[in-house]
Amino acid sequence: MGDYTSSGGDFEAFIENEAKRPHQWVNKLQKGYKLPKEKVKSVVSDHSSEALSVARSIEETRAQSANQLVDLKEQELENQLLCADVTKMGPSQRKLHEKELQVLAEKYGWTFDD
């Protein structure tokens, strides 16, 4: 342990040193230490900003993942449509299948020569 005295100058150095490790203030507060109000506001503000930044990052990642999942599901359905066995379909199912294929062709700009 380092030498620490409670004289004014040493206390300022202690505060300056502790400002570099704001997470330790939480432990000290729980043990009954009193902090200067400006230091409390600074530590809380720093942690709040960090927490908001992390939360935004998580939310952006979650939104991107959800969009990717939707895209993958859409691609899977399109592949099922393209690979469907029409020989086992009845006339009404074939008409519906052809309409769905036309929608896909328009979506992707496919053209077919008859």
Side-chain angles (χ1 to χ4, degrees):
M1 280 192 176
D3 294 305
Y4 175 74
T5 62
S6 62
S7 67
D10 290 335
F11 182 73
E12 291 300 317
F14 174 75
I15 293 293
E16 196 66 35
N17 200 17
E18 289 298 303
K20 297 173 187 170
R21 300 177 298 213
H23 62 279
Q24 292 182 352
W25 282 107
V26 174
N27 293 335
K28 291 182 179 190
L29 287 173
Q30 291 172 344
K31 294 178 183 176
Y33 286 88
K34 300 294 181 192
L35 297 176
K37 286 184 181 182
E38 64 275 356
K39 187 54 67 179
V40 171
K41 288 179 184 177
S42 170
V43 170
V44 169
S45 175
D46 290 347
H47 285 292
S48 295
S49 296
E50 270 184 58
L52 285 173
S53 177
V54 169
R56 284 186 189 117
S57 176
I58 290 170
E59 190 58 36
E60 288 172 7
T61 302
R62 184 180 298 167
Q64 288 172 354
S65 295
N67 287 338
Q68 288 174 344
L69 183 60
V70 167
D71 290 345
L72 287 173
K73 290 285 187 183
E74 187 176 318
Q75 288 175 7
E76 181 182 349
L77 291 172
E78 290 172 356
N79 285 336
Q80 287 176 358
L81 180 65
L82 291 170
C83 296
D85 185 2
V86 294
T87 61
K88 296 181 181 181
M89 294 181 188
S92 60
Q93 285 179 314
R94 280 189 187 181
K95 283 184 181 182
L96 180 60
H97 184 258
E98 286 177 17
K99 286 181 183 180
E100 290 174 348
L101 287 175
Q102 287 174 349
V103 170
L104 270 183
E106 289 173 12
K107 177 180 177 181
Y108 293 108
W110 299 336
T111 55
F112 303 98
D113 295 328
D114 285 55

